[in-house]
Amino acid sequence: MAALYVFLLFVTMNASPLNGKSAVVFQSDFGVTDSYASIMRGVAHSVDTDLQIFDIRHNITQFDTREAARSLLENALVWPSGTVFVSVVDPGVGTVRRSVVLKTKSGHYFVSPDNGSLDMVAQELGITAVREIDESVNRRKGTGEAHTFHGRDVYSFTGARLASGVITYEQVGPLLEPKVVQLEKITEATISEGVISGTLTSVDSFGNVGTNISTETFEKLGLVRLEDHADITVKHNGEILYSENLPYVKTFGDVSKGEPLLYSNSNYYMELSINLGNFSQRYGIESGSGWTIEIRKAK
Amino acid sequence: MAALYVFLLFVTMNASPLNGKSAVVFQSDFGVTDSYASIMRGVAHSVDTDLQIFDIRHNITQFDTREAARSLLENALVWPSGTVFVSVVDPGVGTVRRSVVLKTKSGHYFVSPDNGSLDMVAQELGITAVREIDESVNRRKGTGEAHTFHGRDVYSFTGARLASGVITYEQVGPLLEPKVVQLEKITEATISEGVISGTLTSVDSFGNVGTNISTETFEKLGLVRLEDHADITVKHNGEILYSENLPYVKTFGDVSKGEPLLYSNSNYYMELSINLGNFSQRYGIESGSGWTIEIRKAK
Amino acid sequence: MAALYVFLLFVTMNASPLNGKSAVVFQSDFGVTDSYASIMRGVAHSVDTDLQIFDIRHNITQFDTREAARSLLENALVWPSGTVFVSVVDPGVGTVRRSVVLKTKSGHYFVSPDNGSLDMVAQELGITAVREIDESVNRRKGTGEAHTFHGRDVYSFTGARLASGVITYEQVGPLLEPKVVQLEKITEATISEGVISGTLTSVDSFGNVGTNISTETFEKLGLVRLEDHADITVKHNGEILYSENLPYVKTFGDVSKGEPLLYSNSNYYMELSINLGNFSQRYGIESGSGWTIEIRKAK
């Protein structure tokens, strides 16, 4: 008997299975100067006071479904299978966009308007099923006359009921075709004749500039980390704004303080940075539309 | 107004049973660049490591007891009965204002200085009792010489002990008269000869402009949603700053991108907005003292 | 100084028993506009879905190990014994600075790069042991090629495993000498011939200006609270910017609205403030390098 308990304990401690209830993890573009975010937490807590409730953040750029999509993907890679994400970035609140719950092959659930926010997790994790939320069941009672706060009345409520086991995934609502609304395509990084052509996709709070060039693609250039350099050219709308020769290193501390570097970030994409400095600010480099990068092996 | 809140509340009160321990939910004007907020969380956690601890937010405008009051009311409508709110917006810390715990008829508890922060929940939810915190018992040991951080030493400590069942409500301290300090009255919206006269009460992070005109009052004009328009006049200190004819709709997406609209918000008050835009910024309209609005049915 | 902290701590250590699992409490300089902080929470939650997970804050000034150190100390004084703090302020990520877990005599654990962040808790709470994190064991699987996000792959992971009991403290890794990297010394407040000479160490969100003068040192001047005044001189790089006679009071409300005051703050250090106002802004006084203060008893 003791052995059995030890065995069960071993499983619990090492495998981190779920203990019946999943966490609800929120993100939104509601900002942090109103009660909107805490009202969603309150709704979830009122569904089940034992639920674990977390926030990714609520300062997604307003109506930016691409940022919402990237944020969901980054988080899904670390939060455990079974986690219920509730994402409310909804430029079309009150329009015909569908309210859905996506289940991915990784076992994560995503409660969101189907407006592009789900594109990246669907692509990267694979779709198990997409269900439309049946608001005749999965909506807080007494809120039928409110048409503007679906985050409170539908998404948070449904996410919490799913996470706590009040409803099964099947009870969310009817099955849809296993696909989600896609974001406008951005150019994939390409490699041709020893030159990688990509785009700048993000700037984080440290000023590190992210690209759409995976480490896998980059390594086709044949650079050896800590030995080789790369020629970097950054353009904005075709105009060259930055052209330098950067060392390819493992991490910031591999160069002196204030020196720029090229490295593979924690999600295995290539980034530009300055050790203990701000690459974006120093060189006036941003990300998004019109920002492109070329990388070639230095001679 | 009260009737609407009671209706919403009915939903809340029946949403979820409590499992013995209640959550502690904090708000304050301490800001987010210090340890003050996390120190309050730490005190609550040290009282009972099983407690669920949440934040509304800690960036209430400093010393703004009206904003504190509105925030408490908005949240009490969704957090379950039994929840213990700890609100520390305290322009009179160290003065004779009383430290109290209000219990409302909805079963919520509010730990706060009695300085107007409790006015709205008292009015809308009804007072069951008000008790003064007896600091000879309900104060962290060894802090008797600290006179400036009641949020840590008294409010968080007492709220957590109440939520976890370490003390009963009766053990908070002596009963006071069942009333709380009231905020200065703001003009209630009035209707006369087909004209509603109200005030602008808030601007949220999306630039939506809130009013003190309840949907119930507004509907006395006899407008049919999605069919009728209203003539809106906004004044600042009596000077007309905005005068337009707006459609009365259900939700943002009922008008084209960039178009203004009039709608009933998620708490059943009338708001001005722009679909996918910022009403406040575009028209230079703010809220508070001196900002008034008139609404009449368009011909 | 140490005596005061030990006194405060005594209160903390006896406040609450632990129920087997400890909380994980995060701080970092990652900012709040990325997924970095929530990814650390997600890693901890995936280690053990029952863990209580909290944040101090993630807007520590970038690379400011002194601010990280002060924040850890302020929090350790209230969070219960057993709490596992994970602090990621890491100007040397990827360099030879050690990743350690400090256990203090108060029973708290601190997971952090050993770069000065741990100096204050080590000094004030006392060192029980310092262990280096053995990354061959205590690192998320499959992340061996990532060299820039130790907060995710090592610190959060190790902190959560320790808090949940997956590993014991001994299993963190090998014992190091019982010491941590120290911050550059800042001048201690001194008293000589009735004049206290100190420095300005902080400005909080209310504009209260903190000093390195403990209440214990201050009281050697023999001032009686609520009766006496002190002559205050603030200099920046030797130039006098402020010279006034301030009342020594218990709390803000002891002076009229808008009046300046001198008081002992909630951690028993002397601070300058204005009742319902912002001392720092009104007088243009900041803190840090070059900011000094002299206090003497007014005649």
Side-chain angles (χ1 to χ4, degrees):
Chain A
M1 178 114 171
L4 176 59
Y5 280 120
V6 167
F7 173 71
L8 287 173
L9 185 65
F10 180 81
V11 171
T12 301
M13 289 174 68
N14 287 275
S16 184
L18 287 171
N19 56 354
K21 289 179 184 179
S22 297
V24 176
V25 181
F26 287 103
Q27 73 174 20
S28 78
D29 62 356
F30 293 163
V32 294
T33 58
D34 301 294
S35 290
Y36 295 138
S38 71
I39 284 172
M40 291 206 297
R41 290 190 285 269
V43 167
H45 180 71
S46 74
V47 165
D48 184 341
T49 57
D50 286 336
L51 271 186
Q52 290 259 43
I53 298 171
F54 297 95
D55 295 289
I56 294 173
R57 59 189 176 98
H58 293 277
N59 56 1
I60 302 276
T61 304
Q62 279 177 9
F63 310 135
D64 190 333
T65 50
R66 187 179 301 277
E67 187 176 324
R70 182 182 297 115
S71 179
L72 284 179
L73 179 57
E74 288 168 350
N75 277 278
L77 296 174
V78 296
W79 289 83
S81 179
T83 299
V84 176
F85 292 92
V86 175
S87 175
V88 191
V89 175
D90 193 6
V93 62
T95 64
V96 292
R97 57 97 189 94
R98 280 166 159 159
S99 298
V100 304
V101 181
L102 163 68
K103 182 176 182 180
T104 55
K105 290 183 178 164
S106 57
H108 297 92
Y109 298 90
F110 301 89
V111 184
S112 173
D114 183 19
N115 59 11
S117 297
L118 302 175
D119 186 21
M120 293 188 193
V121 287
Q123 276 195 48
E124 299 294 334
L125 308 181
I127 296 177
T128 296
V130 180
R131 289 183 179 272
E132 183 165 14
I133 298 174
D134 178 355
E135 295 190 17
S136 71
V137 180
N138 293 306
R139 186 184 178 97
R140 290 176 73 227
K141 283 187 190 122
T143 64
E145 286 305 302
H147 302 277
T148 54
F149 198 177
H150 286 191
R152 177 190 68 183
D153 298 329
V154 178
Y155 299 133
S156 175
F157 184 66
T158 301
R161 280 155 56 94
L162 181 60
S164 70
V166 173
I167 58 171
T168 63
Y169 181 53
E170 287 66 32
Q171 291 172 308
V172 163
L175 265 181
L176 300 175
E177 282 188 74
K179 64 183 184 183
V180 296
V181 169
Q182 299 191 330
L183 294 164
E184 196 182 333
K185 290 294 172 213
I186 52 175
T187 319
E188 299 263 328
T190 57
I191 181 164
S192 169
E193 297 181 14
V195 181
I196 299 175
S197 300
T199 59
L200 304 186
T201 54
S202 64
V203 176
D204 72 14
S205 61
F206 291 84
N208 300 325
V209 176
T211 73
N212 69 338
I213 303 168
S214 68
T215 304
E216 192 179 0
T217 297
F218 176 77
E219 289 184 340
K220 292 178 183 163
L221 292 183
L223 280 83
V224 176
R225 202 145 54 173
L226 293 176
E227 290 186 15
D228 288 329
H229 281 59
D231 287 326
I232 307 288
T233 305
V234 172
K235 299 178 183 174
H236 186 228
N237 295 329
E239 180 190 358
I240 295 178
L241 291 192
Y242 180 83
S243 181
E244 292 293 340
N245 176 269
L246 296 188
Y248 173 38
V249 297
K250 283 170 64 178
T251 185
F252 311 113
D254 290 335
V255 302
S256 303
K257 178 175 174 176
E259 292 299 312
L261 59 134
L262 176 68
Y263 71 107
S264 167
N265 76 8
S266 54
N267 287 322
Y268 305 107
Y269 277 79
M270 303 308 294
E271 273 188 27
L272 304 168
S273 180
I274 290 173
N275 183 28
L276 298 174
N278 188 305
F279 192 95
S280 168
Q281 279 185 15
R282 190 195 291 177
Y283 301 114
I285 291 174
E286 298 171 20
S287 65
S289 177
W291 289 95
T292 58
I293 182 171
E294 288 174 9
I295 303 182
R296 66 202 79 202
K297 185 171 181 174
K299 305 213 170 126
Chain B
M1 182 155 153
L4 275 169
Y5 278 117
V6 167
F7 173 68
L8 286 172
L9 189 65
F10 180 77
V11 177
T12 302
M13 291 176 66
N14 289 275
S16 166
L18 286 171
N19 58 352
K21 287 180 185 179
S22 298
V24 176
V25 181
F26 287 102
Q27 73 174 20
S28 77
D29 62 354
F30 293 162
V32 295
T33 58
D34 302 294
S35 291
Y36 295 139
S38 71
I39 284 172
M40 291 206 297
R41 290 190 284 270
V43 166
H45 180 73
S46 74
V47 166
D48 182 343
T49 57
D50 286 336
L51 272 186
Q52 289 259 44
I53 297 170
F54 297 95
D55 294 289
I56 293 173
R57 59 191 177 97
H58 292 278
N59 57 1
I60 302 275
T61 304
Q62 278 178 10
F63 310 135
D64 191 334
T65 50
R66 187 179 300 278
E67 187 175 325
R70 182 181 297 114
S71 180
L72 285 179
L73 178 57
E74 289 168 350
N75 277 278
L77 296 174
V78 296
W79 290 83
S81 180
T83 299
V84 177
F85 292 92
V86 175
S87 174
V88 192
V89 175
D90 193 6
V93 62
T95 65
V96 292
R97 58 95 188 96
R98 282 165 158 159
S99 297
V100 304
V101 181
L102 164 68
K103 181 176 182 180
T104 55
K105 290 183 178 164
S106 57
H108 298 92
Y109 298 90
F110 300 89
V111 184
S112 173
D114 182 19
N115 58 12
S117 296
L118 302 174
D119 186 22
M120 293 188 194
V121 286
Q123 274 195 48
E124 300 296 335
L125 308 181
I127 297 176
T128 294
V130 181
R131 288 181 179 274
E132 183 164 13
I133 299 174
D134 177 356
E135 295 189 17
S136 72
V137 181
N138 293 306
R139 186 184 178 97
R140 291 175 72 227
K141 282 185 190 125
T143 64
E145 286 305 301
H147 302 277
T148 54
F149 199 176
H150 286 190
R152 176 191 68 184
D153 299 329
V154 178
Y155 298 134
S156 175
F157 184 65
T158 301
R161 280 155 56 94
L162 181 60
S164 69
V166 174
I167 58 171
T168 64
Y169 180 53
E170 288 66 32
Q171 291 173 309
V172 164
L175 264 182
L176 300 176
E177 281 189 74
K179 63 183 187 184
V180 296
V181 169
Q182 299 191 331
L183 295 164
E184 196 183 333
K185 291 293 171 212
I186 51 174
T187 318
E188 297 264 327
T190 57
I191 181 164
S192 169
E193 297 182 13
V195 182
I196 297 175
S197 300
T199 59
L200 305 185
T201 54
S202 64
V203 176
D204 72 14
S205 62
F206 290 85
N208 300 325
V209 176
T211 73
N212 69 339
I213 303 167
S214 68
T215 305
E216 192 180 0
T217 297
F218 176 76
E219 289 184 341
K220 292 179 181 162
L221 291 182
L223 280 82
V224 176
R225 203 147 51 175
L226 293 175
E227 291 186 12
D228 290 328
H229 282 59
D231 287 327
I232 307 288
T233 306
V234 172
K235 299 178 183 174
H236 186 227
N237 295 328
E239 183 190 355
I240 295 178
L241 290 192
Y242 180 82
S243 181
E244 291 293 341
N245 176 270
L246 297 189
Y248 174 38
V249 298
K250 284 170 64 179
T251 187
F252 311 112
D254 291 335
V255 301
S256 302
K257 179 175 175 176
E259 292 298 313
L261 59 134
L262 176 68
Y263 70 109
S264 167
N265 76 7
S266 53
N267 287 322
Y268 304 107
Y269 277 78
M270 302 307 296
E271 273 189 25
L272 303 167
S273 180
I274 290 173
N275 183 27
L276 298 174
N278 188 307
F279 192 95
S280 168
Q281 280 184 14
R282 190 195 291 176
Y283 300 115
I285 290 175
E286 299 171 19
S287 65
S289 178
W291 289 95
T292 58
I293 182 171
E294 288 174 11
I295 304 183
R296 66 202 80 202
K297 184 170 180 175
K299 300 200 174 142
Chain C
M1 182 153 152
L4 276 169
Y5 279 117
V6 168
F7 173 68
L8 286 173
L9 189 67
F10 181 75
V11 177
T12 303
M13 289 179 66
N14 290 275
S16 166
L18 284 171
N19 59 352
K21 287 181 183 177
S22 298
V24 176
V25 182
F26 288 103
Q27 73 174 19
S28 78
D29 62 354
F30 293 162
V32 294
T33 58
D34 302 292
S35 290
Y36 294 139
S38 71
I39 285 171
M40 290 207 297
R41 290 190 285 270
V43 167
H45 180 73
S46 74
V47 166
D48 183 343
T49 57
D50 285 336
L51 271 186
Q52 289 258 43
I53 298 170
F54 298 95
D55 294 289
I56 293 174
R57 59 190 177 96
H58 292 278
N59 57 0
I60 302 276
T61 303
Q62 278 177 11
F63 310 136
D64 190 333
T65 51
R66 187 179 301 278
E67 188 176 324
R70 182 180 298 115
S71 180
L72 285 179
L73 179 56
E74 288 168 350
N75 278 278
L77 296 175
V78 296
W79 289 84
S81 180
T83 300
V84 177
F85 292 92
V86 176
S87 175
V88 192
V89 175
D90 193 6
V93 63
T95 64
V96 291
R97 57 98 188 95
R98 281 166 158 158
S99 299
V100 305
V101 181
L102 164 67
K103 181 176 182 181
T104 55
K105 291 183 177 165
S106 56
H108 297 92
Y109 298 90
F110 300 89
V111 184
S112 173
D114 184 18
N115 59 11
S117 297
L118 302 174
D119 186 21
M120 293 188 195
V121 287
Q123 274 195 48
E124 300 297 335
L125 308 182
I127 297 176
T128 295
V130 180
R131 288 182 179 274
E132 184 164 13
I133 298 173
D134 178 355
E135 295 189 17
S136 71
V137 181
N138 294 305
R139 188 185 176 96
R140 291 176 72 228
K141 283 187 188 121
T143 64
E145 286 305 302
H147 301 278
T148 54
F149 198 177
H150 286 189
R152 176 190 69 184
D153 299 330
V154 178
Y155 297 135
S156 175
F157 184 66
T158 300
R161 281 155 56 94
L162 181 60
S164 70
V166 173
I167 59 171
T168 64
Y169 180 54
E170 288 67 32
Q171 290 173 311
V172 164
L175 265 181
L176 300 176
E177 281 189 76
K179 62 183 186 184
V180 296
V181 169
Q182 299 192 329
L183 295 164
E184 196 183 332
K185 290 295 171 212
I186 50 174
T187 318
E188 297 264 327
T190 57
I191 180 164
S192 169
E193 297 183 13
V195 181
I196 299 174
S197 300
T199 59
L200 304 186
T201 54
S202 64
V203 176
D204 72 14
S205 62
F206 290 85
N208 300 325
V209 176
T211 73
N212 69 338
I213 303 168
S214 68
T215 305
E216 191 180 2
T217 297
F218 176 75
E219 289 185 341
K220 292 178 181 163
L221 292 182
L223 280 83
V224 177
R225 201 148 52 177
L226 293 175
E227 290 186 14
D228 289 330
H229 281 59
D231 287 327
I232 306 289
T233 305
V234 172
K235 299 178 183 173
H236 187 228
N237 295 329
E239 182 190 355
I240 295 178
L241 290 192
Y242 179 81
S243 181
E244 291 292 340
N245 176 267
L246 296 189
Y248 173 37
V249 297
K250 284 169 64 179
T251 185
F252 311 113
D254 291 335
V255 301
S256 302
K257 179 174 174 177
E259 292 298 312
L261 59 135
L262 176 68
Y263 70 107
S264 167
N265 76 7
S266 54
N267 287 323
Y268 304 106
Y269 277 79
M270 302 309 295
E271 272 188 26
L272 303 168
S273 180
I274 289 174
N275 184 26
L276 298 174
N278 189 305
F279 192 96
S280 168
Q281 280 185 13
R282 189 195 292 177
Y283 301 114
I285 290 175
E286 298 171 18
S287 65
S289 178
W291 290 94
T292 57
I293 181 171
E294 289 174 11
I295 304 184
R296 66 201 80 202
K297 184 172 180 175
K299 304 214 171 123

